[in-house]
Amino acid sequence: MSAVDIAAFVDELAKVAGDAIRPFFRTALAIDNKRRKGSFDPVTAADRAAETAMRALIRKQFPTHGIIGEEFDDVKGSGPYTWVLDPIDGTKSFIAGMPVWGTLIGLCKDEVPVYGLMAQPFIGERFTGDGASAKYRGPAGERKLMTRPCASLEDALLFTTSPHLFTPEERERFETVEKHVQLSRFGGDCYAYCMIAAGYVDLVVEAGLDAYDIIPLIPIIEGAGGVITNWQGESAARGGRIVAAGDRRLHEAALKLLNA
């Protein structure tokens, strides 16, 4: 598969997902809780419809490729390529009518993320990357994505989706970082990572992520010049505890505090 073929097909996947999702957004839709006990993990007909549409297109175009998705069972492929799908990353924002959610589509070759997209079909924005470069397309036109320099925590804008998603120990570590930054904000899900790539946010610290939450974002962050790993400084591709930064110096400073 050439880079052009991948980009064109991912755009097609994003279109069918967006077409499936938009009729549900800001409507009265049924919400199921995937976790019957304890925390609230919502899923809607929009999530399922979008992933179903993307899986069907992948099976038709690339029947030997594997598929990992949030809503349905994994499909093991017979070759090196695996698609990673999160039809609506930020379902809690989706059901609240807030447009800070997105469709995540990633492609791995031999388990290494090689292409990623975050699409926001309501606003009409797309963020893409291949690890070497990244770009934005939307109402404001098209441009290359580049992270901004930020060497010091004291100058950094920090995001996390919610402090309630941390365990008590993880929250303590997060707050150690938070008290050093210039400003911290909550919410955003996948959008916060794309804002790192766009040069508006400096740091994201999260925990409890699944592979489909983060794999599509890795080529975007890295393609824009950023760094994304787990809290140990290792590959972020398995999810878990994640730290992403637009500046390598900032990433190193955050890791030191998270592991102090």
Side-chain angles (χ1 to χ4, degrees), residues 8-31:
F9 183 68
V10 172
D11 274 342
E12 193 174 352
L13 288 176
K15 181 183 184 304
V16 299
D19 290 345
I21 292 168
R22 280 192 303 273
F24 291 96
F25 186 51
R26 293 181 178 169
T27 65
L29 74 167
I31 302 165

Side-chain angles (χ1 to χ4, degrees), residues 36 41 103 123 145 186 202 237 260:
R36 296 302 177 187
D41 187 11
T103 296
I123 298 174
L145 290 173
F186 300 147
D202 302 299

Side-chain angles (χ1 to χ4, degrees), residues 135-138 140-144:
K135 68 179 180 179
Y136 165 88
R137 286 170 290 162
E142 182 174 327
R143 67 179 179 89
K144 183 178 180 180

Side-chain angles (χ1 to χ4, degrees), residues 98-122:
M98 301 293 290
V100 283
W101 51 271
T103 296
L104 295 179
I105 302 170
L107 178 64
C108 291
K109 182 179 181 181
D110 296 321
E111 302 185 356
V112 176
V114 294
Y115 195 86
L117 170 142
M118 192 285 272
Q120 215 306 327
F122 181 72

Side-chain angles (χ1 to χ4, degrees), residues 115-212:
Y115 195 86
L117 170 142
M118 192 285 272
Q120 215 306 327
F122 181 72
I123 298 174
E125 292 186 320
R126 294 186 183 183
F127 300 80
T128 58
D130 61 6
S133 64
K135 68 179 180 179
Y136 165 88
R137 286 170 290 162
E142 182 174 327
R143 67 179 179 89
K144 183 178 180 180
L145 290 173
M146 293 184 65
T147 62
R148 66 184 180 188
C150 180
S152 169
L153 284 166
E154 287 71 22
D155 296 323
L157 171 54
L158 165 69
F159 255 88
T160 196
T161 296
S162 171
H164 300 296
L165 298 178
F166 293 117
T167 66
E169 183 225 353
E170 289 167 346
R171 184 162 181 172
E172 183 177 354
R173 295 197 199 184
F174 169 77
E175 289 174 348
T176 300
V177 176
E178 184 184 31
K179 70 182 182 181
H180 285 84
V181 302
Q182 184 178 74
L183 176 66
S184 66
R185 304 296 294 166
F186 300 147
D189 292 284
C190 57
Y191 239 107
Y193 293 90
C194 289
M195 292 302 97
I196 287 181
Y200 300 114
V201 171
D202 302 299
L203 185 66
V204 174
V205 177
E206 297 199 294
L209 299 187
D210 289 299
Y212 48 73

